[in-house]
Amino acid sequence: VENMCPHKEVFDTGVPTFFGTDGMPDSMLFGIFCAANAPAECQYLDYEKSIEASCAAVADYEGDNRGRLAEGCKADLVLADKSMFASLAKQPDPVVLGMMKMFELEGKVKRVFKDGVQVVPKPKPPKS
């Protein structure tokens, strides 16, 4: 287990690192949660570093016009219930890992904007 995803060891070297979800986990929020609740010390990142690896680090890799909240930049936004941060933080019992946790996290998402268009919840079509 310790040799799988040694996030902390990689971060500690200073190697630019970012997270993605090409397969597993299916949810970026669940990926952040897993990193912040990793069983081995070499894997554990606090949730601030996990969020950074999922957002700002990706934007830095993509270039100057990505991931920043500034005019002319491309940024997708997720608006969530503020209690999500407590759900992402280190849990006293990591047995909560699993689909139940993913659904709990996803349930805290209130709105998602992709390329400037709200995609969650899906806008209702105009009445004809």
Side-chain angles (χ1 to χ4, degrees):
V1 168
E2 291 183 12
N3 292 325
M4 294 174 53
C5 305
H7 304 304
K8 184 178 183 316
E9 286 183 356
V10 174
F11 266 77
D12 288 349
T13 67
V15 172
T17 305
F18 56 87
F19 293 165
T21 58
D22 291 345
M24 181 61 187
D26 288 334
S27 163
M28 184 57 75
L29 290 174
F30 190 58
I32 292 168
F33 175 81
C34 289
N37 286 275
E41 185 63 30
C42 65
Q43 298 172 314
Y44 170 75
L45 292 178
D46 60 39
Y47 78 95
E48 290 92 350
K49 286 181 183 170
S50 299
I51 291 171
E52 177 187 332
S54 301
C55 302
V58 177
D60 290 341
Y61 176 80
E62 290 288 331
D64 292 338
N65 71 334
R66 304 280 301 178
R68 303 282 179 241
L69 294 177
E71 186 175 344
C73 290
K74 297 177 183 178
D76 300 332
L77 299 175
V78 174
L79 302 175
D81 184 306
K82 65 182 178 180
S83 68
M84 178 182 285
F85 292 109
S87 296
L88 290 171
K90 186 85 170 157
Q91 300 292 315
D93 182 4
V95 173
V96 296
L97 290 173
M99 295 303 285
M100 295 286 285
K101 190 62 172 181
M102 186 174 81
F103 291 132
E104 174 192 330
L105 291 168
E106 299 290 339
K108 294 179 185 298
V109 172
K110 301 301 180 190
R111 293 185 186 154
V112 176
F113 294 85
K114 176 102 175 117
D115 296 326
V117 176
Q118 182 174 320
V119 295
V120 173
K122 290 187 178 192
K124 294 180 181 173
K127 293 182 179 182
S128 47

